[in-house]
Amino acid sequence: MYSNKIEGPRRGRSFDSMNIGFEEKLLNNEINKSTFTKIEENTEKKNTPEKGRATIIFSLKNEVGGLVKALKLFQENHVNLVHIESRKSKRRNSEFEIFVDCDSNHEQLNEIIQLLRKHVNVVDMEPPDNSCLHEEDMYDVPWFPKKISDLDKCANRVLMYGSDLDADHPGFKDNVYRKRRKYFADLAMAYKHGDPIPRIEFTEEEVKTWGVVYRELNKLYPTHACREYLKNLPLLSKYCECREDNIPQLEDVSRFLRERTGFTIRPVAGYLSPRDFLAGLAFRVFHCTQYVRHSSDPLYTPEPDTCHELLGHVPLLAEPSFAQFSQEIGLASLGASDDSVQKLATCYFFTVEFGLCKQEGQLRAYGAGLLSSISELKHALSGNARIMPFDPKVTSKQECIITTFQDVYFVSDSFEEAKVKMREFAKTIKRPFTVRYNPYTQSVDVLKDTPSINSVVEELRHELDIVGDALSRLNKQLGV
């Protein structure tokens, strides 16, 4: 829950692997004897020249053991071989060319080239590319979490806390309600990453309020909600006991989402700034309130409550394409300027909160603010609301309204279309790096120099190998 108020890498190459007969057998024998192991990086002195990724392409001379001799030179000179490939020469059909990717500085590269010329014909080379961002380039970049546990540092920076309610809030004069709100806030403030989310024993009054909201909204969903929402809502009933007479526990919802899309729930005490809220999305973490709106007016709430979170957001966070869309907005916000974060938050507001889409020629709602508000859901699809195509450049300048209906709603043909547009918009955000989410470590990789970019390239090569293997096996089954 957030407040809408603001406080080229070098192109790689891929060569087909070729069987180079006797030379390859010799190489494999040497590898099996551990003659060629990946050289571990030596501890470098401070005055050692900085290393970078260098590329050498050479062809073998007509002599037995030429490849083995050549590769031994890299080992003897303590040059770390990152990647080796072979291909048939484009220059001479009778020759093979060897592609070697290595970590080297200019001095090492010159030495290895001179030694290689005695055994091979050097065809091409690219010197080390040590280009990277200096620390001064990162000086003005706002702090952002690098790993999921870093959210502990910003999840409690709420703009309003506990019993702090505005004078026009329905529960402002209700001391019992204010005390209950503080109870929920204290639980959220004590939460740390990895903790189970505390289970709540909701009061009879809270369950009754939830029931009214649940019942009235479910009357509208079949004709107003998008198909993805309608597909996932019954799953909440099945796996999280989401019913008119029962408020789901956030821990159960978090486990459900983790299995569906990798998203998890984190309890929050109140409004977060756009920067802190979007940062959570980058790690597929959704900050979620646990308190229930005041019972005096079940169909109105001045701020997001658990009815809004569970009925508005959760069903679509269980949809893979929508989950990715949400995460990409979060990733684009990391390290961005306040102005850029505000633009991203506004796009989030008019998509994830109040977005519309077209399905079977009809307008349908996918925004959580609409799907949890009976009156505004009816208004947005009434034919009287102003509708515009979603364009991040335009949408990001639109005023967000939280006290009345929106002046305009933005429509996309699909989540995929919205995602592509947001992806292109994110590229216009000025920051001296980009980021990539690592699902294995639940951290973000900051891509700001050639080694970090090359590391991603290596991972992508592995993923492409898996895809290639799958396609090969499929072709065999189909007899292609």
Side-chain angles (χ1 to χ4, degrees):
M1 181 180 72
Y2 81 95
S3 168
N4 69 334
K5 298 178 181 178
I6 270 291
E7 313 264 17
R10 225 177 49 232
R11 187 175 62 196
R13 304 180 189 142
S14 177
F15 297 148
D16 292 331
S17 297
M18 305 292 291
N19 183 352
I20 56 177
F22 185 64
E23 291 289 338
E24 184 169 332
K25 291 179 182 178
L26 279 176
L27 176 61
N28 288 335
N29 288 337
E30 291 297 323
I31 291 174
N32 290 335
K33 291 186 291 183
S34 300
T35 300
F36 294 110
T37 57
K38 188 174 182 180
I39 307 300
E40 292 188 355
E41 295 180 3
N42 295 323
T43 303
E44 302 289 349
K45 295 180 180 180
K46 289 185 179 180
N47 60 353
T48 301
E50 185 180 2
K51 289 188 176 183
R53 186 65 58 86
T55 299
I56 304 173
I57 302 175
F58 58 86
S59 63
L60 299 173
K61 293 182 178 179
N62 188 21
E63 62 173 318
V64 175
L67 178 58
V68 174
K69 293 176 183 177
L71 295 181
K72 271 189 176 180
L73 293 173
F74 289 90
Q75 182 185 30
E76 292 169 354
N77 287 272
H78 306 291
V79 175
N80 184 28
L81 298 182
V82 179
H83 189 74
I84 306 173
E85 291 186 25
S86 62
R87 69 174 183 180
K88 197 166 185 178
S89 175
K90 296 180 180 179
R91 298 163 180 80
R92 297 181 182 178
N93 292 331
S94 60
E95 288 187 356
F96 288 92
E97 291 180 350
I98 309 301
F99 168 92
V100 175
D101 230 1
C102 59
D103 286 333
S104 171
N105 56 48
H106 287 279
E107 183 179 342
Q108 282 182 314
L109 185 63
N110 289 333
E111 290 178 2
I112 202 75
I113 290 295
Q114 294 304 318
L115 293 170
L116 278 173
R117 292 189 193 280
K118 299 177 182 179
H119 304 282
V120 301
N121 298 312
V122 177
V123 175
D124 191 18
M125 60 173 280
E126 290 186 28
D129 182 0
N130 294 321
S131 59
C132 64
L133 287 175
H134 299 290
E135 288 302 315
E136 55 266 28
D137 295 320
M138 297 287 287
Y139 182 77
D140 293 329
V141 174
W143 178 88
F144 61 90
K146 307 294 195 308
K147 55 185 185 294
I148 193 169
S149 59
D150 285 347
L151 295 178
D152 287 344
K153 301 175 183 179
C154 55
N156 289 343
R157 298 193 295 212
V158 293
L159 306 183
M160 293 182 67
Y161 178 80
S163 60
D164 295 336
L165 304 178
D166 291 333
D168 59 350
H169 192 286
F172 180 72
K173 297 181 179 180
D174 187 338
N175 289 330
V176 174
Y177 180 77
R178 292 169 72 105
K179 184 177 179 180
R180 183 69 168 166
R181 286 287 294 265
K182 188 176 186 306
Y183 166 75
F184 284 111
D186 289 343
L187 288 178
M189 294 292 280
Y191 179 86
K192 298 296 181 185
H193 170 68
D195 292 346
I197 302 175
R199 292 185 174 272
I200 304 298
E201 186 175 341
F202 290 100
T203 66
E204 182 178 343
E205 185 178 36
E206 288 168 340
V207 174
K208 183 179 178 181
T209 300
W210 157 273
V212 173
V213 178
Y214 182 96
R215 182 172 60 254
E216 294 303 314
L217 283 171
N218 270 272
K219 294 176 182 178
L220 295 177
Y221 288 154
T223 54
H224 289 66
C226 66
R227 72 170 75 93
E228 291 83 359
Y229 183 94
L230 296 175
K231 178 184 72 175
N232 290 321
L233 184 60
L235 299 180
L236 276 181
S237 299
K238 181 177 181 180
Y239 296 106
C240 306
E241 298 186 42
C242 180
R243 305 186 306 270
E244 182 178 336
D245 62 349
N246 185 70
I247 304 175
Q249 297 291 332
L250 293 191
E251 179 66 19
D252 296 337
V253 173
S254 188
R255 290 177 181 176
F256 165 71
L257 288 177
R258 185 185 293 113
E259 293 181 0
R260 296 286 297 177
T261 62
F263 253 89
T264 56
I265 297 294
R266 181 178 179 122
V268 68
Y271 276 123
L272 291 174
S273 70
R275 182 180 296 280
D276 291 339
F277 179 83
L278 295 181
L281 297 180
F283 296 87
R284 297 208 171 201
V285 171
F286 185 76
H287 289 88
C288 187
T289 56
Q290 280 184 293
Y291 57 79
V292 181
R293 62 191 64 182
H294 196 262
S295 59
S296 62
D297 192 353
L299 302 185
Y300 168 75
T301 177
E303 81 261 275
D305 70 334
T306 200
C307 301
H308 165 79
E309 317 282 36
L310 296 177
L311 293 175
H313 283 288
V314 169
L316 282 171
L317 287 174
E319 185 66 27
S321 59
F322 184 83
Q324 186 177 9
F325 173 71
S326 299
Q327 183 184 28
E328 290 193 10
I329 295 178
L331 288 169
S333 75
L334 299 181
S337 66
D338 287 346
D339 180 64
S340 294
V341 168
Q342 181 59 34
K343 289 179 179 178
L344 289 168
T346 301
C347 287
Y348 177 92
F349 185 86
F350 283 106
T351 53
V352 179
E353 292 289 354
F354 290 94
L356 299 174
C357 61
K358 290 181 180 178
Q359 293 182 342
E360 287 82 41
Q362 301 293 322
L363 282 179
R364 291 291 182 265
Y366 71 87
L370 295 176
L371 292 167
S372 60
S373 171
I374 295 168
S375 57
E376 190 154 13
L377 181 57
K378 291 179 178 178
H379 167 73
L381 273 66
S382 66
N384 297 321
R386 184 183 172 207
I387 309 294
M388 291 179 61
F390 174 61
D391 178 354
K393 293 180 181 179
V394 176
T395 304
S396 63
K397 299 175 183 178
Q398 182 65 35
E399 180 186 3
C400 303
I401 302 174
I402 59 174
T403 55
T404 61
F405 296 158
Q406 301 305 311
D407 290 336
V408 61
Y409 301 91
F410 293 90
V411 61
S412 301
D413 286 335
S414 65
F415 297 146
E416 195 62 35
E417 180 198 59
K419 186 165 58 180
V420 170
K421 288 182 177 181
M422 278 305 303
R423 213 172 263 167
E424 291 303 309
F425 182 69
K427 292 177 183 178
T428 67
I429 293 176
K430 294 181 180 180
R431 56 181 180 178
F433 58 87
T434 190
V435 295
R436 172 178 177 264
Y437 180 65
N438 186 329
Y440 304 110
T441 59
Q442 292 185 296
S443 61
V444 291
D445 300 325
V446 180
L447 308 183
K448 61 185 179 68
D449 51 28
T450 49
S452 61
I453 294 170
N454 281 327
S455 177
V456 174
V457 171
E458 291 302 318
E459 290 185 31
L460 291 176
R461 281 177 175 166
H462 174 65
E463 296 297 325
L464 288 173
D465 283 344
I466 295 174
V467 174
D469 179 57
L471 290 173
S472 177
R473 293 172 186 269
L474 180 60
N475 287 339
K476 287 179 181 179
Q477 292 179 8
L478 298 176
V480 178

